[in-house]
Amino acid sequence: MSQGIPSRASVVIVGGGVAGCSIAYHLAKLGMTDVVLLERRQLTCGTTWHAAGLVGQLRATRNLTELAQYTANLFLSLESETGQATGFKQNGSISLAKTVARFEELKRGASMGKGFGLEIDVLSPEQIQERWPLVRTDDLAGGIFIAKDGQTNPIDTTQALAKGAKLRGAKIFENTPVKKIRIEGGRATGVETQDGFIAADTVVLCAGMWSHRLAADCGAAVPLHAAEHFYIVTEPIPDLPKNLPVLRAQDECAYYKEDAGKLLLGCFEPIAKPWGMQGIPEGFCFDSLPADHEQFEPILEAAVQRVPALAQTGIQLFFNGPESFTPDDRYYLGETPEVRDLFVATGFNSVGIAASGGVGKVMAEWIRDRHPPMDLADVDVRRVMPFQANRKYLHDRTVETLGLLYAMHWPYYQYRTARGARRSALHDRLVAAGACMGETAGWERPNWYAAPGESPAYEYSFGRQNWFDATRAECLAARDHVALFDQCSFAKFLVQGPQACSLLNYLCTASVDVPVGRIVYTQWLNERAGIEADLTITRISEEVFWVVTSAVCQTRDLAWLRRHIAARDARCTVTDVGSGIAMLGVMGPRSRELLQGLSGADLSNTAHPFGWSREIEIGYATVRASRISYVGELGWELYLPTEHCLDVYERLLAAGAALGLKHAGYHAMAACRVEKGYRHWGHDIADEDDPIQSGLAFTVAWDKPGGFLGREALARRKASAPATRRLVQVMLEDSSATSPMLYHEEPLIRDGAIVGSIRSGAWGHRLDRSIGMGYVSCPQGVTPEWLAGGKWQVEVACERYAANVQLKPWYDPNNERMK
């Protein structure tokens, strides 16, 4: 090895931007000093160097906000710790609202931020003017101010992180491009460089817009694509205050920050320009892209109206540089599902500086402990679907995702671009029936059905959207008659072999060593008792099991299965059969009548009890009918080969017409499942929530032979009862049409103090109330008595509404309708 590069390291980090340097810094801080960071050219030379350096803290979820808060606190002390100037200052930030809808979005964010401990003030236009004298406010509805937001110098901050890492023993090498990550036996074993091979226990990919290609060469999917990002820097503006807060005018796609007596004006325009489709030039280093004044012109025109001083100010710099964006505008962290010991921290969607400190901290702990230190499902790379690495898909989606950063963050927003990637065999029939399609994990799925003569298109708002009445009719059809759901997007795995039962029994909280035909609802836990998966398993035969999970968990749950099969050297296999198996939900009190009439089978409680699965014939198909429900009504999930799907669907429609059968979509399913208190992985439960906290202890077979993964940790939590944190069911008292909708992270308040927040919200059409589920905490234990003894409220957009709270579901708590 030349340049003193070692032939081996515990951790090799690929990429010397702010994320890579932060991970090296935090690894060294943990005492893991055998760390080598390799940068292809010079530190920060890809994207970090031209970042705007905004340090905002309020994010879409609690844990992502905590990462950003940590970043701001780290930047406060980094200069004094390392002696390297960072340029960080906490001058705060102001977000403007031109419309009532934007103001509600900002106020909902302010309420959410209170639950995270953020200091957020709601501002009138006059108060905005006081804090930012140059801005025009006569057309504003209001805004918010976050005092501890700020800005930093990206290059200096990265150098400070790098210096802090080196002071603790980490080694950083510039001008050392990584040609390839070596994979042996399904794990990353090191990297190939121009100076030779460096063996490693862990490889961390932090290569920004180069990450997609480097990961693809390893067989891992890390979907991201670069886009052009524009900003200008003005000439000096006389008497420009140096402590101006960062200003975000999201309705105009623009942000402003004071920069050495000048203003930097940047944008996230609605229709972006993807870049680098044919690859990134080999010598790309501190490079900018050609100016595109036409692309920036609408932003500048609006900016001159918003900040009139710009009309008399010249432009000193017009900058265009690439940044990478992911298909869902959330970055990637963690170990890849395809390759062991290959970690990623990339795809930062223009928030890399603000996220970098927190990302470095959690990644260092994740690498050391081999599990995430907190719930990071929102940014876990295991959420990726393999098809998303397709370059054409990424190009087309990136046109939209850059602009979504400042677009309205509407509830139930559906992407406009890169649609149609995955469709069920019924897609065209459902569209013809009035389906308004949404997209989840690339699947086109019917979210709701428009009535004849109505347009199946969204009209977004924070209140009742235009599909409210349509979804109500679908929910009532499930309650009173029969509803037909296309559930083909659900992931389905076939686990088979002589040790299939013992392997699954080890992974599951419930026992799956059950009679053939039995359906088991269960969780998979990690060693800390956190919930890694929430699914159903059906025993098809002595050695064959059917695993069904949600569409978004397909990659994650399949990887969990495969890795435990390999780790235990189990004599069984897992096959993803989702593409070949269709799934239809037939739900409602007349579902039995419908299916018995079509099949001739006896589906009575005696012949086919709840929680059992059997094969029946419908038309020319043999169908597996599983009596189970995610909506809380009598019903069956039907599994059948995809080629028979249309035949069975047509027969269901024809026979169901006389029984009041109605198509129903995923908005109806979501509303029904919240009414029933059914959990959704990623919303109500995740890998830091356990079955006791989340009210799922009934799934736990404590005494089954051999135990299960996570049992010891869960038993310790059980012994410390009552739980100090519990998932509760929430219902607003107001049932009027003006009652607010609950969505996510609205604070839950007991006797005036915030004690938790909503995880899932919906309008319960069978209850005619705004409802939700969320966690609350009490040091003495969350008990029914404690819940009943307090005055409860939910805060929505800075207003508080009276609520009722309990542990049981609001709808049919004894499961009488379903059973």
Side-chain angles (χ1 to χ4, degrees), residues 260-281:
K262 312 158 196 172
L263 273 183
L264 182 151
L265 163 64
C267 70
F268 295 102
E269 67 275 25
I271 300 176
K273 294 181 64 180
W275 178 82
M277 184 68 174
Q278 304 306 319
I280 302 167

Side-chain angles (χ1 to χ4, degrees), residues 124-171:
S124 67
E126 294 75 21
Q127 291 169 318
I128 293 170
Q129 185 82 64
E130 291 173 7
R131 286 174 165 85
W132 229 90
L134 279 71
V135 70
R136 174 188 163 206
T137 62
D138 62 303
D139 62 342
L140 297 181
I144 61 170
F145 174 70
I146 303 179
K148 292 188 177 181
D149 281 358
Q151 61 193 67
T152 197
N153 182 301
I155 294 178
D156 290 346
T157 302
T158 304
Q159 293 290 353
L161 290 166
K163 185 175 180 181
K166 288 188 286 188
L167 287 172
R168 289 181 168 87
K171 300 178 178 63

Side-chain angles (χ1 to χ4, degrees), residues 478 483 485 487 586-588 628-635 665 668-673 675-676 678 766 811 818:
F485 294 88
Q487 297 178 248
V586 181
M587 303 292 159
I628 195 168
S629 172
Y630 199 43
V631 300
E633 303 287 353
L634 173 69
M669 182 177 287
C672 290
R673 72 101 183 160
E675 285 179 312
K676 278 291 294 174
Y678 289 156
R766 296 175 297 188
Y811 185 76
M818 194 165 55

